[in-house]
């Protein structure tokens, strides 16, 4: 009979085992009796003596039970059952503790996991810490960042020894034409060496070489693994196949490996080599590209950066007119990708930490409260002979039951939280430019850390009653209410906990309030146009077919005519740059009759528009007139400027009739014919750009405008418009791709989505914090009342009014709350300074918020105090006086 | 009169008692009493836990049978592993006893 078999038998066949023991002992007694009777003792006495010798049937059985294998395990199981029973007796407290733990674990893990995935996890490239983003800093413009120009890049490619490769990239949508029509897919133009910088080898074929950048040769392309599978069916003969991109034939020369992620977009199906136009190649002033590079193994980013500094100054020296003050700057790629998210995530981190602290304080509070209430029970059990070890063990198990349930729930919550965050928010990663990070997963280390920490604190505070209880004077504990159990120390500790909770909640609420006000300010900003009932659609014409500005403009004119005839369309126009979509163009300008101040760089932001665009978008006309159909063709070159530009460059008098020219070579003088309201192009919380609107045919750039956005003011919210638009486009030219038909309002919402996300999360946390703090306050007050029941009973019996009792209790609660608010306000004043980067139009010490929030908390505290206070007034004085 | 017996000592006593023949609980107690001339008076509170522990460990086997007085009784027998255990424990005990004797002699 092995130990293991005995264990099983003892646990699961208890009934049989017990019966056998009973039989054996009875048999033993019987034989004893026989012995005695045989020795002459009478039967009755024999029985008595036999039982006495046995030492009592039950005691004997107990001794055997204790010696059995699995006896200790059984004790534990017994304690667990007991723990469940006691937990069930106080369901509210148990639920609150469990939920608090679950919330702490879940929220903490979810947020930290996301934080870790996005900010801390290395990029999926070999030696990724050596990959840097390359951009230019303009010393003369306060270190403003700028994209790169081709000639500079070509020089760097030659000269930079500490870089093991530098490449440019330009993320764009490309249109692939097949029998069904043209379709826009996410793609990118990259220079040779791009994939080598990332240390990515193609699955088949080759990557780009410098020769591919030569415009005279057959255009080539690389496809992603997914595209190869989906679009080409995993065709083994993909290499050498011709596909039509942007209307021109392109030969596939390679397939990228599965699992490769383009760092700058959520997806990238197609890569083409960058072919610099003659302008781009010769004019150092045209900055159109972004760059990455790999720092040579063995060199640090700082060393490489220093070398780039030197090279930049060399180039500056050689080309002072275009490059003065331009310094090439390197930044680790990971930082560039995640950098925009950093402030938001830091706020999150702070919020989560505060919530955790509050949660812990709550758990501690509640468990201590429970401890003091059960002093008597523990005293009784100790008096009945329960060993100290067993008492502590039981307490431990009770806490463990709570902690484990909370932990299981917490893990589930964490799982769900990560999934929810990933789905609702991080699926639109483009907002943050942190593409390629969709593998956000729950971080096990964080989970284990949080779990361990939560369990530890629960167990610690859970066994304190047993630890203390085992030491107390038993008679003291058995007497009325067990008041004497160092409750004074506990009392202060718990009061301090409540004050801390209130303070922390205040900080969170203040933060949420500030963000809320900031968001309201943001959304009430006048964008400069009227987005209501405006539908937009992106139109992409193949550059190979529409080579000249005139060809493209003719297409757009025809399209506008067709679309204007559709039912429900009131106004329509096109533009090359839609506000709030992250696009921009910039050009230097010369103002007739005015000389720039020393160091002043005159710039405007050109927007090519058709007549009707400004009207469709509801941009207000302030002076002069809007474009007519005749503008742009013919000898007169006209333009409309925004009033921001007007005030900047023509501060006196009306700019209408005055002239200016772009700094592009051979640019004509343009006459201002109208002034319109400024439009916030970049973001609602950034200043309006100095816009100049030009007719489509006045395109100052050499290349035709192949991509425009159609803006349509509709008379009603008509969903069927989308298909009509596609039909209209297709009826003119089937090789033109239409994509992203959506409302202007959705563009605006997208631009404010990050702030919205922050606000929602912070408010959520603040809400949780308030609930927890209120629960803590309520619990503390309830406990105080229960401790002072007899005192309250006496007061009532002696004639105190119920209202007076109410006042006494509530005053206590209010004092705690006010103390918390005081501490919290002081802390908030310091903490909110850290948030100032996230605020718009709101001062970090906004007086309105700082006065409203404390009032809010006081009202919550009043309610939380009122409930237990009211119960105190309902006390039956006789029952109270009788003593628990 | 019961004296505090070390668990192991009681186990050894019981096992040695059973080397000769099988016996029931009462019988084992009486035999130990007899053989040690009354020094060890094993109470049921110690005996039965020890017996059950020995059974769980597989050194004795139990079965119900009929006693001398024609009563039902649970009889314990040494198993094969039990016999080996007796030998090793006896050797152990002798070693300890010898060591103790020497120690006492050296320090008296």
């Amino acid at each position: 009979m092995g130990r293991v078999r005995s264990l099983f038998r003892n646990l699961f066949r208890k009934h049989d085992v017990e019966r056998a023991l009973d039989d054996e002992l009875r048999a033993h007694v019987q034989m004893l009796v026989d012995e005695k009777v045989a020795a002459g003792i009478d039967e009755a006495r024999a029985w008595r003596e036999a039982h006495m010798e046995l030492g009592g049937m039950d005691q004997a059985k107990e001794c055997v039970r204790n010696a059995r294998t699995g006896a200790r395990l059984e004790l534990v199981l017994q304690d667990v059952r007991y723990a469940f029973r006691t937990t069930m007796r106080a369901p509210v407290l148990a639920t609150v503790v469990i939920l608090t733990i679950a919330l702490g674990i879940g929220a903490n893990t979810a947020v930290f996991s996301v934080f870790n995935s996005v900010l801390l996890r290395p990029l999926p490239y070999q030696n990724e810490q050596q990959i840097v983003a390359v951009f230019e800093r303009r010393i003369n413009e306060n270190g403003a960042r700028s994209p790169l120009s081709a000639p500079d890049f070509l020089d760097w490619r030659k000269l930079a020894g500490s870089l093991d490769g530098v490449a440019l990239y330009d993320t764009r949508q490309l249109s692939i034409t097949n029998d069904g029509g043209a379709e826009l897919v996410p793609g990118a133009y990259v220079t040779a060496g791009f994939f080598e910088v990332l240390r990515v080898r193609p699955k088949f074929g080759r990557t780009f070489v410098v020769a591919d950048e030569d415009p005279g040769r057959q255009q080539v392309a690389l496809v992603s693994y997914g595209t190869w599978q989906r679009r080409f069916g995993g065709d083994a003969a993909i290499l050498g196949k011709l596909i039509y991109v942007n209307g021109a034939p392109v030969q596939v020369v390679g397939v990228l490996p599965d699992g490769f992620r383009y760092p700058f977009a959520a997806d990238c199906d197609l890569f083409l080599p960058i072919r610099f136009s003659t302008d781009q190649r010769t004019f150092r002033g045209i900055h159109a590209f972004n760059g990455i590079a790999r720092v040579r193994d063995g060199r640090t980013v700082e060393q490489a950066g220093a070398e780039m500094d030197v090279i930049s100054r060399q180039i500056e020296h050689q080309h002072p007119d275009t490059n003065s003050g331009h310094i090439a700057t390197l930044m680790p790629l990971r930082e560039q990708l995640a950098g925009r998210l950093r402030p938001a995530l830091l706020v999150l981190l702070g919020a989560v930490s505060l919530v955790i602290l509050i949660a812990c304080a709550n758990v501690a509070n509640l468990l201590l409260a429970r401890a003091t209430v059960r002093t008597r029970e523990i005293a009784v059990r100790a008096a009945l002979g329960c060993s100290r070890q067993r008492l502590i063990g039981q307490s431990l198990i009770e806490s463990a039951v709570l902690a484990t349930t909370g932990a299981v729930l917490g893990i589930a919550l964490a799982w769900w939280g990560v999934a929810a965050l990933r789905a609702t928010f991080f699926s639109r990663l483009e907002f943050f430019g942190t593409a390629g990070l969709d593998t956000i997963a729950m971080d096990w280390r964080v989970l284990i850390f949080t779990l361990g920490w939560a369990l530890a604190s629960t167990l610690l505070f859970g066994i304190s009653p047993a630890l203390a209880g085992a030491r107390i004077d038993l008679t003291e504990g058995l007497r009325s209410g067990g008041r004497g159990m160092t409750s004074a120390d506990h009392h202060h500790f718990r009061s301090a906990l409540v004050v801390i909770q209130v303070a922390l909640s205040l900080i969170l609420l203040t933060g949420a309030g500030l963000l809320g006000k900031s968001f309201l300010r943001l959304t009430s900003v006048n964008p400069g146009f009227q987005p209501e009932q405006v539908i937009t659609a992106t139109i992409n014409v193949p550059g190979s077919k529409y080579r000249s500005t005139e060809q493209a403009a003719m297409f757009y004119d025809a399209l506008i005519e067709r679309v204007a005839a559709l039912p429900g369309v009131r106004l329509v126009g096109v533009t090359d740059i839609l506000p709030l979509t992250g696009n921009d163009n910039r050009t230097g300008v010369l103002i007739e009759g005015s000389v720039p101040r020393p160091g002043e760089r005159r710039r405007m932001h050109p927007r090519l528009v058709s007549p009707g665009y400004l009207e469709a978008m509801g941009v207000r006309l302030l002076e002069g007139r809007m474009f007519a159909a005749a503008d742009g063709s013919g000898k007169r070159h006209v333009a409309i400027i925004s009033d921001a530009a007007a005030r900047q460059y023509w501060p006196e008098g009306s700019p209408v009739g005055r002239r200016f020219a772009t700094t592009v070579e051979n640019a004509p003088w343009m006459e201002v014919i109208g002034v319109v309201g400024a439009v916030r192009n970049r973001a609602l919380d950034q200043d309006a750009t100095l816009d100049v609107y030009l007719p489509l045919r006045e395109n100052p750039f050499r290349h035709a405008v192949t991509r425009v956005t159609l803006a349509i003011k509709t008379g009603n919210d008509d969903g069927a418009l989308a298909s009509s638009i596609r039909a209209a486009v297709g009826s003119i030219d089937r090789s033109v791709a239409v994509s992203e038909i959506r409302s202007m309002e959705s563009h605006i919402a997208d631009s404010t989505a990050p702030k919205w996300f922050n606000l929602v999360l912070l408010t959520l946390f603040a809400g949780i914090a308030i609930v927890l703090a209120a629960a803590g306050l309520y619990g503390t007050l309830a406990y105080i009342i229960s401790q002072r029941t007899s005192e309250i009973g006496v007061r009532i019996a002696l004639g105190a009014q119920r209202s007076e009792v109410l006042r006494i209790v509530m005053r206590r609660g209010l004092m705690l709350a006010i103390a918390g608010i005081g501490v919290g306000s002081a802390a908030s004043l310091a903490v909110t300074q850290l948030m100032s980067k996230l605020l718009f139009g709101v001062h970090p010490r906004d007086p309105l918020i700082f006065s409203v929030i404390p009032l809010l908390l006081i009202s919550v505290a009043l309610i939380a105090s009122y409930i237990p206070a009211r119960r105190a007034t309902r006390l039956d004085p006789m029952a109270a006086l009788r003593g628990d | 009169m019961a004296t505090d017996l070390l668990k192991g000592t009681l186990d050894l006593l019981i096992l040695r008692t059973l080397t000769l023949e099988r016996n029931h609980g009462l019988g084992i107690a009486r035999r130990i009493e007899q053989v040690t001339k009354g020094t060890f008076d094993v109470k049921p509170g110690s005996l039965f836990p020890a017996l059950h522990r020995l059974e769980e460990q597989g050194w004795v086997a139990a079965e119900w049978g009929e006693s001398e007085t024609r009563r039902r009784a649970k009889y314990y027998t040494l198993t094969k592993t039990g016999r080996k255990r007796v030998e090793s424990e006896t050797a152990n005990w002798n070693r300890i006893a010898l060591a103790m004797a020497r120690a006492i002699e050296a320090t008296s």
Side-chain angles (χ1 to χ4, degrees), chain A residues 184 528 688 875:
Chain A
L184 280 179
L875 276 178

Side-chain angles (χ1 to χ4, degrees), chain A residues 83-286:
Chain A
F84 269 109
R85 275 206 316 270
T86 41
T87 310
M88 286 302 130
R89 257 193 278 139
V92 173
L93 179 128
T95 316
V96 174
V97 171
I98 290 174
L99 283 181
T100 308
I101 297 174
L103 204 68
I105 292 175
N108 202 20
T109 308
V111 173
F112 272 96
S113 297
V114 167
F115 183 81
N116 181 51
S117 302
V118 172
L119 285 188
L120 298 181
R121 218 202 14 215
L123 299 171
Y125 309 113
Q126 201 194 54
N127 259 2
E128 55 88 30
Q129 70 278 6
Q130 297 290 90
I131 306 180
V132 291
V134 186
F135 52 91
E136 247 177 25
R137 260 183 314 122
R138 304 277 172 95
I139 306 277
N140 302 334
E141 291 170 44
N142 272 340
R145 281 203 212 167
S146 138
L148 312 169
S149 74
D152 287 344
F153 160 71
L154 292 170
D155 283 341
W156 295 335
R157 198 153 68 168
K158 267 196 315 233
L159 300 172
S162 59
L163 293 181
D164 184 12
V166 54
L168 300 179
Y169 65 91
D170 184 20
T171 316
R172 278 192 183 275
Q173 283 187 311
L174 304 170
S175 96
I176 297 187
T177 321
N178 48 32
D179 316 306
E183 188 190 329
L184 280 179
V185 298
Y189 287 97
V190 299
T191 56
F194 178 82
F195 297 100
E196 284 72 14
V197 165
L198 296 177
R199 295 245 171 108
V200 174
R201 306 265 292 280
K203 196 170 172 74
F204 312 122
R206 62 172 181 86
T207 58
F208 300 137
V209 294
V210 177
D212 294 324
E213 293 172 15
D214 179 358
R217 292 173 51 128
Q218 162 76 53
Q219 180 64 293
V220 294
L222 281 168
V223 297
S224 74
Y225 185 83
T227 309
W228 176 52
Q229 292 289 328
R230 279 191 318 264
R231 190 177 274 275
F232 301 104
D235 183 4
I238 182 75
L239 296 183
K241 194 175 165 97
L242 277 181
I243 56 176
Y244 280 80
V245 177
N246 285 354
V250 157
Q251 192 179 56
V252 176
V253 294
V255 174
L256 292 165
D258 191 14
F260 166 66
R261 312 229 39 127
Y262 178 63
F264 307 105
D267 275 312
C268 194
D269 291 351
L270 199 61
F271 293 88
L272 265 65
I274 290 182
R275 291 185 163 177
F276 300 118
S277 67
T278 332
D279 281 347
Q280 287 168 336
R281 201 182 279 275
T282 43
F283 290 125
R284 254 174 222 274
I286 299 185

Side-chain angles (χ1 to χ4, degrees), chain A residues 354-374:
Chain A
L354 288 182
V355 169
I356 296 290
L357 282 176
I358 296 178
C360 281
N362 234 10
V363 167
N365 223 350
L366 292 169
L367 289 178
L368 282 176
R370 186 190 68 167
T372 28
V373 160
R374 292 176 59 193

